[in-house]
Amino acid sequence: ELKKIGINTVAICSNDFVNYPDDSFDNMIKFSNDNQFTFSYLHDETQKIAKSYEAVCTPDFFGYNDKLGLQYRGRLDESRKESVDGAKRELFEAMKQISITGKGPDNQIPSMGCSIKWFE
Protein backbone atom coordinates (compact mmCIF):
# COMPACT_ATOMS: atom_id res chain seq x y z
CA GLU A 1 0.00 0.00 0.00
CA LEU A 2 2.88 2.39 0.66
CA LYS A 3 4.25 1.75 -2.80
CA LYS A 4 0.90 2.79 -4.29
CA ILE A 5 1.35 6.26 -2.78
CA GLY A 6 5.00 6.60 -3.83
CA ILE A 7 6.74 5.44 -0.67
CA ASN A 8 9.55 2.93 -0.99
CA THR A 9 10.22 0.26 1.62
CA VAL A 10 13.16 -1.97 2.42
CA ALA A 11 13.66 -4.60 5.14
CA ILE A 12 17.06 -5.35 6.64
CA CYS A 13 17.95 -8.56 8.49
CA SER A 14 20.71 -7.95 11.05
CA ASN A 15 20.46 -10.96 13.39
CA ASP A 16 23.38 -13.24 14.22
CA PHE A 17 22.80 -15.99 11.68
CA VAL A 18 25.67 -18.18 12.93
CA ASN A 19 24.36 -18.82 16.43
CA TYR A 20 20.69 -18.43 15.41
CA PRO A 21 20.25 -20.31 12.12
CA ASP A 22 16.46 -19.89 12.25
CA ASP A 23 17.16 -16.18 11.70
CA SER A 24 19.41 -16.77 8.72
CA PHE A 25 18.99 -14.56 5.70
CA ASP A 26 17.86 -17.58 3.65
CA ASN A 27 15.05 -18.18 6.15
CA MET A 28 14.12 -14.50 6.12
CA ILE A 29 13.93 -14.58 2.30
CA LYS A 30 11.67 -17.64 2.54
CA PHE A 31 9.50 -15.76 5.06
CA SER A 32 9.41 -12.78 2.72
CA ASN A 33 8.41 -14.95 -0.23
CA ASP A 34 5.83 -16.89 1.80
CA ASN A 35 4.24 -13.60 2.83
CA GLN A 36 4.52 -12.12 -0.67
CA PHE A 37 6.50 -9.06 0.41
CA THR A 38 6.91 -6.72 -2.55
CA PHE A 39 9.88 -4.81 -1.14
CA SER A 40 13.59 -5.59 -1.04
CA TYR A 41 14.94 -7.67 1.84
CA LEU A 42 18.60 -6.94 2.58
CA HIS A 43 21.20 -8.65 4.76
CA ASP A 44 23.31 -6.74 7.28
CA GLU A 45 25.80 -9.54 7.85
CA THR A 46 28.26 -7.35 9.81
CA GLN A 47 25.49 -5.69 11.89
CA LYS A 48 27.05 -2.33 11.05
CA ILE A 49 23.75 -0.95 9.73
CA ALA A 50 21.75 -1.99 12.80
CA LYS A 51 24.35 -0.40 15.06
CA SER A 52 24.46 2.83 13.05
CA TYR A 53 20.67 3.12 13.25
CA GLU A 54 20.73 2.14 16.93
CA ALA A 55 18.14 -0.54 16.20
CA VAL A 56 17.07 -2.46 19.29
CA CYS A 57 14.51 -5.05 18.24
CA THR A 58 13.01 -6.91 15.34
CA PRO A 59 11.09 -5.37 13.82
CA ASP A 60 12.24 -1.79 14.38
CA PHE A 61 10.70 0.74 11.98
CA PHE A 62 12.32 3.91 10.67
CA GLY A 63 10.48 6.35 8.40
CA TYR A 64 12.25 9.09 6.44
CA ASN A 65 11.02 12.08 4.48
CA ASP A 66 12.21 12.99 0.98
CA LYS A 67 15.20 14.85 2.48
CA LEU A 68 16.25 11.67 4.33
CA GLY A 69 15.31 13.17 7.69
CA LEU A 70 14.12 10.62 10.25
CA GLN A 71 10.46 11.37 10.92
CA TYR A 72 9.12 8.13 12.38
CA ARG A 73 10.64 5.61 14.77
CA GLY A 74 7.88 3.47 16.09
CA ARG A 75 5.80 0.37 15.86
CA LEU A 76 3.90 -1.12 12.95
CA ASP A 77 0.53 -0.96 14.68
CA GLU A 78 -1.11 -1.46 18.05
CA SER A 79 -1.05 -5.26 17.75
CA ARG A 80 1.29 -7.29 19.87
CA LYS A 81 2.40 -10.79 18.84
CA GLU A 82 -0.94 -11.59 17.19
CA SER A 83 -2.79 -9.37 14.73
CA VAL A 84 -5.63 -7.37 16.20
CA ASP A 85 -8.67 -6.71 14.01
CA GLY A 86 -9.05 -2.99 13.46
CA ALA A 87 -5.62 -2.16 14.93
CA LYS A 88 -4.54 1.40 14.20
CA ARG A 89 -1.94 1.21 11.40
CA GLU A 90 0.59 3.56 12.98
CA LEU A 91 3.47 3.06 10.53
CA PHE A 92 1.24 3.34 7.47
CA GLU A 93 -0.51 6.46 8.77
CA ALA A 94 2.81 8.04 9.80
CA MET A 95 4.35 7.41 6.38
CA LYS A 96 1.27 8.77 4.64
CA GLN A 97 1.51 11.92 6.78
CA ILE A 98 5.24 12.23 6.05
CA SER A 99 4.60 11.94 2.31
CA ILE A 100 2.11 14.81 2.50
CA THR A 101 3.71 17.13 5.07
CA GLY A 102 7.35 16.03 5.32
CA LYS A 103 6.88 15.61 9.07
CA GLY A 104 6.07 12.58 11.21
CA PRO A 105 3.44 12.45 13.94
CA ASP A 106 4.17 14.10 17.28
CA ASN A 107 3.22 10.98 19.26
CA GLN A 108 5.13 7.82 18.40
CA ILE A 109 5.13 4.56 20.35
CA PRO A 110 8.43 2.61 20.20
CA SER A 111 8.66 -0.68 18.34
CA MET A 112 8.26 -3.88 20.31
CA GLY A 113 9.67 -7.23 19.36
CA CYS A 114 12.45 -9.69 19.95
CA SER A 115 15.83 -8.23 20.77
CA ILE A 116 18.39 -8.21 17.98
CA LYS A 117 20.63 -11.24 18.22
CA TRP A 118 24.04 -9.60 18.30
CA PHE A 119 27.28 -11.34 17.44
CA GLU A 120 29.32 -11.93 20.56
Side-chain angles (χ1 to χ4, degrees):
E1 288 184 63
L2 289 174
K3 195 175 209 172
K4 290 177 189 174
I5 59 174
I7 299 170
N8 292 319
T9 303
V10 63
I12 303 171
C13 177
S14 298
N15 279 338
D16 172 354
F17 56 92
V18 175
N19 292 308
Y20 300 90
D22 286 347
D23 290 347
S24 71
F25 189 56
D26 287 341
N27 282 337
M28 294 301 103
I29 291 296
K30 182 181 179 326
F31 179 81
S32 174
N33 291 336
D34 290 349
N35 287 280
Q36 301 175 346
F37 292 167
T38 59
F39 47 84
S40 297
Y41 209 133
L42 308 175
H43 191 209
D44 177 19
E45 66 181 64
T46 66
Q47 299 184 323
K48 182 178 179 180
I49 300 300
K51 289 177 182 173
S52 69
Y53 281 76
E54 299 179 357
V56 295
C57 63
T58 61
D60 204 350
F61 297 98
F62 300 82
Y64 293 85
N65 62 17
D66 61 354
K67 295 173 181 49
L68 300 179
L70 179 62
Q71 299 298 315
Y72 184 76
R73 172 92 187 267
R75 63 187 184 177
L76 177 68
D77 62 26
E78 59 189 353
S79 297
R80 291 212 166 219
K81 287 187 177 226
E82 302 297 324
S83 291
V84 173
D85 286 339
K88 183 179 175 189
R89 300 172 64 199
E90 294 166 25
L91 175 64
F92 180 81
E93 293 302 325
M95 293 310 301
K96 200 160 91 172
Q97 177 180 325
I98 293 164
S99 74
I100 295 167
T101 69
K103 294 281 193 187
D106 291 332
N107 297 318
Q108 301 178 15
I109 299 171
S111 296
M112 290 180 52
C114 298
S115 62
I116 293 176
K117 293 157 182 87
W118 299 107
F119 291 118
E120 295 184 22

